[in-house]
Amino acid sequence: EKTGLKMVCSTGYYLSQFHPEWLNDATVEEIAEVYIKELTEGIDNTGIKAGIIAEIASGPKSFVGHEKKILEAAGLAAAKTGCAVSTHTGRYTAVETIETLLSYGMNPDKIIIGHQDLINDSEYHLSLLKYGVNIAFDTCGKVNYMADEIRAENMLKIIRAGYGDHIMVSDDVSRRTYFVSHGGVGYIAAYKTVLPLLKEYGATDEDIRKITTDNPARILDND
């Protein structure tokens, strides 16, 4: 409220170890109806509508448990509502994730393949972008996983390949210890470190604006 920022909440299910028991017997259509209700009517009785289906997850090597089913439901719900889907995806499940969502009729520009900054392979990044999807460099500041300098270098390669309008960036603040108040980098790693590095390496102000403003505005527009 103090910042005036628009906060967009999500609907969806994460990794299999966090799934509720009712998913065991639920069909793809039944799960999709949950997503659709939270997108169009609101979450529980709050009246607050989700604006995106996320973070739809798959295991590091393959889909585990009901992870494929919740992904299929996301594709179905997104195709019906026009909303975006953002994923928790490693290298081994990225292509299957994209092709599954597209098989349900999703607009590829509404697909965000997450955590791709953890993979230091620009040719691989471009192979995903050729599907028309967006990829997220969304673990900025987690330098124990990947140096921020490498994140910036790979983002610049994508921009120079003509895909600057298909990059998303964020910080993946998922634990209390990541907060600034607990000694972490908080919600400022992308803006404090990665984006300045990107500009230092040769990105333009227009490139930065696309990544931080134009791309999320376009992808999150459900109208």
Side-chain angles (χ1 to χ4, degrees), residues 86-100:
S86 187
T87 70
H88 170 100
T89 309
R91 184 175 193 137
Y92 296 100
T93 57
V95 169
E96 186 175 355
T97 293
I98 292 169
E99 293 183 347
T100 298

PDB file of all heavy atoms in Angstrom, residues 86-100:
ATOM      1  N   SER A  86       3.307 -19.294 -15.364  1.00  0.00           N
ATOM      2  CA  SER A  86       4.728 -19.233 -15.056  1.00  0.00           C
ATOM      3  C   SER A  86       5.135 -20.520 -14.361  1.00  0.00           C
ATOM      4  O   SER A  86       4.382 -21.052 -13.539  1.00  0.00           O
ATOM      5  CB  SER A  86       5.039 -18.032 -14.168  1.00  0.00           C
ATOM      6  OG  SER A  86       6.442 -17.878 -13.997  1.00  0.00           O
ATOM      7  N   THR A  87       6.321 -21.015 -14.687  1.00  0.00           N
ATOM      8  CA  THR A  87       6.711 -22.342 -14.221  1.00  0.00           C
ATOM      9  C   THR A  87       8.006 -22.345 -13.409  1.00  0.00           C
ATOM     10  O   THR A  87       8.834 -21.439 -13.511  1.00  0.00           O
ATOM     11  CB  THR A  87       6.914 -23.308 -15.415  1.00  0.00           C
ATOM     12  OG1 THR A  87       8.085 -22.921 -16.144  1.00  0.00           O
ATOM     13  CG2 THR A  87       5.699 -23.309 -16.322  1.00  0.00           C
ATOM     14  N   HIS A  88       8.142 -23.384 -12.628  1.00  0.00           N
ATOM     15  CA  HIS A  88       9.382 -23.730 -11.926  1.00  0.00           C
ATOM     16  C   HIS A  88       9.951 -24.897 -12.714  1.00  0.00           C
ATOM     17  O   HIS A  88       9.485 -26.028 -12.591  1.00  0.00           O
ATOM     18  CB  HIS A  88       9.039 -24.120 -10.481  1.00  0.00           C
ATOM     19  CG  HIS A  88      10.163 -24.731  -9.706  1.00  0.00           C
ATOM     20  ND1 HIS A  88      10.911 -24.016  -8.801  1.00  0.00           N
ATOM     21  CD2 HIS A  88      10.664 -25.989  -9.692  1.00  0.00           C
ATOM     22  CE1 HIS A  88      11.819 -24.820  -8.253  1.00  0.00           C
ATOM     23  NE2 HIS A  88      11.686 -26.023  -8.778  1.00  0.00           N
ATOM     24  N   THR A  89      10.953 -24.603 -13.556  1.00  0.00           N
ATOM     25  CA  THR A  89      11.357 -25.580 -14.566  1.00  0.00           C
ATOM     26  C   THR A  89      12.868 -25.679 -14.675  1.00  0.00           C
ATOM     27  O   THR A  89      13.559 -24.658 -14.758  1.00  0.00           O
ATOM     28  CB  THR A  89      10.803 -25.183 -15.952  1.00  0.00           C
ATOM     29  OG1 THR A  89       9.413 -24.925 -15.853  1.00  0.00           O
ATOM     30  CG2 THR A  89      11.033 -26.288 -16.963  1.00  0.00           C
ATOM     31  N   GLY A  90      13.365 -26.903 -14.707  1.00  0.00           N
ATOM     32  CA  GLY A  90      14.778 -27.137 -14.981  1.00  0.00           C
ATOM     33  C   GLY A  90      14.996 -27.456 -16.441  1.00  0.00           C
ATOM     34  O   GLY A  90      14.065 -27.472 -17.246  1.00  0.00           O
ATOM     35  N   ARG A  91      16.218 -27.737 -16.781  1.00  0.00           N
ATOM     36  CA  ARG A  91      16.575 -28.005 -18.175  1.00  0.00           C
ATOM     37  C   ARG A  91      15.878 -29.247 -18.716  1.00  0.00           C
ATOM     38  O   ARG A  91      15.473 -29.284 -19.879  1.00  0.00           O
ATOM     39  CB  ARG A  91      18.093 -28.173 -18.275  1.00  0.00           C
ATOM     40  CG  ARG A  91      18.586 -28.364 -19.691  1.00  0.00           C
ATOM     41  CD  ARG A  91      20.096 -28.416 -19.754  1.00  0.00           C
ATOM     42  NE  ARG A  91      20.568 -28.300 -21.128  1.00  0.00           N
ATOM     43  CZ  ARG A  91      21.593 -27.556 -21.502  1.00  0.00           C
ATOM     44  NH1 ARG A  91      22.244 -26.839 -20.615  1.00  0.00           N
ATOM     45  NH2 ARG A  91      21.971 -27.521 -22.760  1.00  0.00           N
ATOM     46  N   TYR A  92      15.693 -30.262 -17.879  1.00  0.00           N
ATOM     47  CA  TYR A  92      15.215 -31.550 -18.375  1.00  0.00           C
ATOM     48  C   TYR A  92      13.716 -31.583 -18.645  1.00  0.00           C
ATOM     49  O   TYR A  92      13.241 -32.482 -19.337  1.00  0.00           O
ATOM     50  CB  TYR A  92      15.601 -32.655 -17.390  1.00  0.00           C
ATOM     51  CG  TYR A  92      17.096 -32.825 -17.258  1.00  0.00           C
ATOM     52  CD1 TYR A  92      17.783 -32.283 -16.180  1.00  0.00           C
ATOM     53  CD2 TYR A  92      17.826 -33.502 -18.226  1.00  0.00           C
ATOM     54  CE1 TYR A  92      19.165 -32.419 -16.062  1.00  0.00           C
ATOM     55  CE2 TYR A  92      19.210 -33.642 -18.120  1.00  0.00           C
ATOM     56  CZ  TYR A  92      19.870 -33.093 -17.034  1.00  0.00           C
ATOM     57  OH  TYR A  92      21.232 -33.220 -16.923  1.00  0.00           O
ATOM     58  N   THR A  93      12.972 -30.637 -18.105  1.00  0.00           N
ATOM     59  CA  THR A  93      11.519 -30.637 -18.304  1.00  0.00           C
ATOM     60  C   THR A  93      11.030 -29.443 -19.112  1.00  0.00           C
ATOM     61  O   THR A  93       9.830 -29.322 -19.354  1.00  0.00           O
ATOM     62  CB  THR A  93      10.787 -30.659 -16.957  1.00  0.00           C
ATOM     63  OG1 THR A  93      11.209 -29.532 -16.169  1.00  0.00           O
ATOM     64  CG2 THR A  93      11.064 -31.944 -16.195  1.00  0.00           C
ATOM     65  N   ALA A  94      11.919 -28.559 -19.542  1.00  0.00           N
ATOM     66  CA  ALA A  94      11.491 -27.314 -20.183  1.00  0.00           C
ATOM     67  C   ALA A  94      10.735 -27.551 -21.488  1.00  0.00           C
ATOM     68  O   ALA A  94       9.647 -27.007 -21.693  1.00  0.00           O
ATOM     69  CB  ALA A  94      12.698 -26.417 -20.423  1.00  0.00           C
ATOM     70  N   VAL A  95      11.301 -28.351 -22.373  1.00  0.00           N
ATOM     71  CA  VAL A  95      10.650 -28.568 -23.663  1.00  0.00           C
ATOM     72  C   VAL A  95       9.312 -29.283 -23.483  1.00  0.00           C
ATOM     73  O   VAL A  95       8.299 -28.902 -24.095  1.00  0.00           O
ATOM     74  CB  VAL A  95      11.573 -29.366 -24.613  1.00  0.00           C
ATOM     75  CG1 VAL A  95      10.805 -29.825 -25.850  1.00  0.00           C
ATOM     76  CG2 VAL A  95      12.769 -28.514 -25.010  1.00  0.00           C
ATOM     77  N   GLU A  96       9.267 -30.301 -22.628  1.00  0.00           N
ATOM     78  CA  GLU A  96       8.010 -31.008 -22.384  1.00  0.00           C
ATOM     79  C   GLU A  96       6.976 -30.065 -21.778  1.00  0.00           C
ATOM     80  O   GLU A  96       5.777 -30.142 -22.104  1.00  0.00           O
ATOM     81  CB  GLU A  96       8.244 -32.201 -21.456  1.00  0.00           C
ATOM     82  CG  GLU A  96       7.015 -33.080 -21.272  1.00  0.00           C
ATOM     83  CD  GLU A  96       7.287 -34.320 -20.453  1.00  0.00           C
ATOM     84  OE1 GLU A  96       8.459 -34.562 -20.088  1.00  0.00           O
ATOM     85  OE2 GLU A  96       6.324 -35.064 -20.174  1.00  0.00           O
ATOM     86  N   THR A  97       7.415 -29.167 -20.899  1.00  0.00           N
ATOM     87  CA  THR A  97       6.509 -28.181 -20.316  1.00  0.00           C
ATOM     88  C   THR A  97       5.905 -27.292 -21.395  1.00  0.00           C
ATOM     89  O   THR A  97       4.685 -27.089 -21.455  1.00  0.00           O
ATOM     90  CB  THR A  97       7.257 -27.317 -19.284  1.00  0.00           C
ATOM     91  OG1 THR A  97       7.634 -28.137 -18.177  1.00  0.00           O
ATOM     92  CG2 THR A  97       6.389 -26.171 -18.791  1.00  0.00           C
ATOM     93  N   ILE A  98       6.753 -26.770 -22.256  1.00  0.00           N
ATOM     94  CA  ILE A  98       6.272 -25.889 -23.328  1.00  0.00           C
ATOM     95  C   ILE A  98       5.310 -26.624 -24.252  1.00  0.00           C
ATOM     96  O   ILE A  98       4.202 -26.136 -24.550  1.00  0.00           O
ATOM     97  CB  ILE A  98       7.467 -25.348 -24.139  1.00  0.00           C
ATOM     98  CG1 ILE A  98       8.308 -24.395 -23.284  1.00  0.00           C
ATOM     99  CG2 ILE A  98       6.980 -24.636 -25.401  1.00  0.00           C
ATOM    100  CD1 ILE A  98       9.636 -24.028 -23.910  1.00  0.00           C
ATOM    101  N   GLU A  99       5.694 -27.798 -24.693  1.00  0.00           N
ATOM    102  CA  GLU A  99       4.860 -28.519 -25.662  1.00  0.00           C
ATOM    103  C   GLU A  99       3.544 -28.978 -25.048  1.00  0.00           C
ATOM    104  O   GLU A  99       2.517 -29.030 -25.740  1.00  0.00           O
ATOM    105  CB  GLU A  99       5.654 -29.686 -26.236  1.00  0.00           C
ATOM    106  CG  GLU A  99       6.826 -29.201 -27.100  1.00  0.00           C
ATOM    107  CD  GLU A  99       7.616 -30.315 -27.761  1.00  0.00           C
ATOM    108  OE1 GLU A  99       7.425 -31.490 -27.364  1.00  0.00           O
ATOM    109  OE2 GLU A  99       8.419 -30.009 -28.672  1.00  0.00           O
ATOM    110  N   THR A 100       3.541 -29.284 -23.759  1.00  0.00           N
ATOM    111  CA  THR A 100       2.295 -29.648 -23.085  1.00  0.00           C
ATOM    112  C   THR A 100       1.350 -28.460 -23.034  1.00  0.00           C
ATOM    113  O   THR A 100       0.155 -28.578 -23.360  1.00  0.00           O
ATOM    114  CB  THR A 100       2.584 -30.152 -21.656  1.00  0.00           C
ATOM    115  OG1 THR A 100       3.399 -31.327 -21.733  1.00  0.00           O
ATOM    116  CG2 THR A 100       1.284 -30.465 -20.920  1.00  0.00           C
TER     117      THR A 100
END
